[in-house]
Amino acid sequence: MLPSGDRPHSSRAMRRAALSVTAFTVALAALTACSSSSGSAAGTADGKAATGSASPSVAPGKYRVLPEPCGAVNMNTLKSLVPGAKDYAGTAELTYDTDRRVGCGWTGTTSDGNRYLHVDFLRVVSYDNAVSDESQAATDYDEKALAAGIETATSASATPSDSASASTTPSASASASDSASVAPRTLSGLGNSAYIDDVLKTQDSGVHRDITIVFRKSNVLVTVEYSEWSTDNSVNPGSQELQDGARKVAGEVADQFAR
């Protein structure tokens, strides 16, 4: 047993040791809390970055607005292709979002029958963050081409053939085939990809030939329709003249996107 004179000293030493241990414990707890908080914040930031990098948003399409459709075709061209039109200002297509889709049409008459010209612009928007607007437009174009019975660039590269190469040039026999529909084919030098379709329909009420050109310009799909119809189904509208007219319009419309 320690002498009674040493007990106070021993008690003070014990209290100091206890206080030191307590202070150390508090400091260690505070340090741990700070480290945990910093680690959590860093983890959250990294998590956001990782999430962003895992599903990055692709750049929007090149074209954010569309040309004015009723002003996309030269006036002289309109007077030549749709003579006798009541209004060359055109009739605008009803649309609820002119940044997404617009169109315009003209109707005229010739000695052979009535003629109709229509242009349509569709700005394609992808709602998939992993697919760009232009890629979606290319997919939509391919679907239209396949529906028209036209070999797309993808299928052509998978199964190359002489007919695929020949389809990139205008049909030399179009005028000789005015009595029937001319096979649809791709066109070169018009947008990123293009095709033309020629359909002749004979009904009891008359006959009409419809020429359709569809081309893609980046994230925009353009459709040009040029038709002639007559109540005299004994005479078929000429294919070559209508195709030439549709191609002229398509070229002028394409120029709107080069500006």
Side-chain angles (χ1 to χ4, degrees):
M1 179 179 293
L2 292 174
S4 59
D6 291 337
R7 288 177 183 172
H9 175 74
S10 177
S11 298
R12 288 194 297 272
M14 292 177 66
R15 284 197 297 272
R16 285 198 297 270
L19 290 173
S20 297
V21 171
T22 300
F24 176 78
T25 301
V26 172
L28 181 60
L31 180 61
T32 301
C34 290
S35 299
S36 176
S37 175
S38 298
S40 176
T44 301
D46 290 342
K48 291 180 179 179
T51 301
S53 61
S55 57
S57 296
V58 294
K62 178 178 180 180
Y63 298 105
R64 308 302 297 277
V65 296
L66 295 169
E68 203 291 303
C70 292
V73 184
N74 184 278
M75 182 61 70
N76 290 333
T77 300
L78 290 174
K79 291 181 178 180
S80 172
L81 298 183
V82 283
K86 294 181 179 180
D87 187 359
Y88 284 106
T91 301
E93 182 179 318
L94 179 63
T95 179
Y96 297 99
D97 187 351
T98 55
D99 286 338
R100 287 294 305 279
R101 188 165 201 165
V102 292
C104 191
W106 299 263
T107 302
T109 58
T110 69
S111 57
D112 297 323
N114 297 325
R115 287 193 178 180
Y116 175 69
L117 174 66
H118 183 262
V119 295
D120 178 88
F121 302 149
L122 173 63
R123 183 173 67 88
V124 177
V125 176
S126 169
Y127 295 100
D128 185 342
N129 287 338
V131 179
S132 68
D133 293 345
E134 183 167 356
S135 295
Q136 185 61 55
T139 298
D140 292 351
Y141 168 85
D142 285 348
E143 291 177 353
K144 286 179 173 290
L146 287 172
I150 297 173
E151 188 175 36
T152 65
T154 302
S155 59
S157 62
T159 56
S161 64
D162 293 338
S163 60
S165 299
S167 66
T168 60
T169 58
S171 173
S173 60
S175 59
S177 305
D178 284 347
S179 60
S181 297
V182 179
R185 64 187 187 280
T186 58
L187 297 174
S188 60
L190 186 61
N192 301 103
S193 49
Y195 72 82
I196 185 171
D197 196 8
D198 182 331
V199 177
L200 179 69
K201 294 182 179 178
T202 302
Q203 301 171 323
D204 292 339
S205 58
V207 60
H208 63 96
R209 185 181 291 275
D210 305 317
I211 307 298
T212 302
I213 292 179
V214 177
F215 70 88
R216 179 178 69 84
K217 187 69 174 181
S218 187
N219 59 310
V220 175
L221 294 181
V222 178
T223 302
V224 174
E225 297 173 304
Y226 187 38
S227 307
E228 180 178 305
W229 69 94
S230 173
T231 55
D232 182 4
N233 55 17
S234 64
V235 179
N236 293 328
S239 173
Q240 190 65 58
E241 180 183 0
L242 293 177
Q243 286 197 31
D244 289 344
R247 294 189 67 172
K248 181 175 179 59
V249 171
E252 292 183 6
V253 170
D255 289 342
Q256 301 293 314
F257 295 92
R259 298 173 183 174

